[in-house]
């Protein structure tokens, strides 16, 4: 059996305890994950894009959309027992780390533009912010955009089939761990792809 850099087997089955893990490691989560409804402005995508007046969205509302999140210790992620527990319970058997910033990402502007295209995946999208910050935008049930700001220490799971997009904020930097069940699948399906099973089951 193969093991990755964090010592977790690479062929883990999804555990029945995975859903119970959704309520673990919540202390201080509001400090690293916040959400609000977006305005319709065409200004720089890296701006907050609050409505006027501001309309914040609770983490409970995000959970109703199937979005799972935690607060962990990014300064010791290689030895973090809480991260290992989440991965074992939910079957996140593969990880890698990426830096998204002008200095480290080839074709930075083109890549950031592609990340911001509205799309879905047929599997969960799991991201853990180790440094920096960024925005994950998702559609609610009424097709309104919700912007989710994730800072260092925030880990977020977007369910399969949810339309979403990603952008950096004005700090122009995030270092994120990407997690997958099994071998990584990178395929984005740009909207519209409502016929996919992941979307139909959503």
């Amino acid at each position: 059996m193969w093991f990755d850099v964090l010592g977790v087997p690479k062929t883990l089955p999804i555990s029945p305890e995975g859903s119970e893990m959704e309520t673990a490691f919540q202390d201080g989560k509001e400090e690293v994950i916040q959400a609000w409804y977006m305005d319709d402005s065409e200004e720089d995508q890296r701006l907050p894009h609050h409505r006027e007046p501001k309309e914040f969205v609770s983490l409970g509302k995000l959970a109703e959309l199937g979005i799972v999140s935690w607060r962990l210790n990014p300064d010791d992620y290689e030895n973090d027992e809480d991260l290992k527990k989440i991965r074992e319970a939910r079957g996140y058997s593969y990880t890698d780390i990426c830096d998204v910033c002008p200095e480290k990402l080839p074709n930075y502007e083109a890549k950031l533009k592609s990340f911001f295209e509205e799309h879905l995946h047929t599997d969960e999208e799991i991201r853990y912010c180790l440094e920096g910050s960024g925005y994950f935008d998702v559609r609610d049930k009424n097709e309104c955009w919700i912007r989710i700001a994730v800072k260092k220490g925030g880990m977020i799971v977007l369910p399969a089939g949810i339309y979403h997009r990603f952008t950096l904020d004005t700090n122009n930097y995030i270092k994120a761990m990407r997690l997958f069940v099994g071998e990584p699948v990178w395929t984005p399906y740009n909207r519209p792809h409502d016929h996919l099973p992941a979307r139909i089951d959503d």
Side-chain angles (χ1 to χ4, degrees), residues 25 29 37 50 53 57 70 75 77 82 146 158 164 181:
F25 318 125
K29 189 170 69 171
Y37 278 108
H50 280 286
V57 176
W70 302 273
D75 293 324
Y77 67 88
D82 293 343
I146 296 174
L158 305 182
H164 66 283
V181 176

Side-chain angles (χ1 to χ4, degrees), residues 134-180:
Y135 296 132
F136 294 86
D137 300 339
V138 300
R139 293 278 195 185
D140 73 2
K141 299 296 184 180
N142 297 315
E143 295 291 307
C144 296
W145 279 115
I146 296 174
R147 171 149 283 188
I148 307 170
V150 181
K151 298 179 181 179
K152 179 179 178 179
M155 182 171 171
I156 190 170
V157 178
L158 305 182
I162 193 170
Y163 281 117
H164 66 283
R165 61 193 183 188
F166 170 79
T167 186
L168 293 175
D169 56 26
T170 53
N171 293 317
N172 288 316
Y173 176 64
I174 192 170
K175 179 178 181 178
M177 177 183 290
R178 302 181 290 191
L179 301 95
F180 298 87

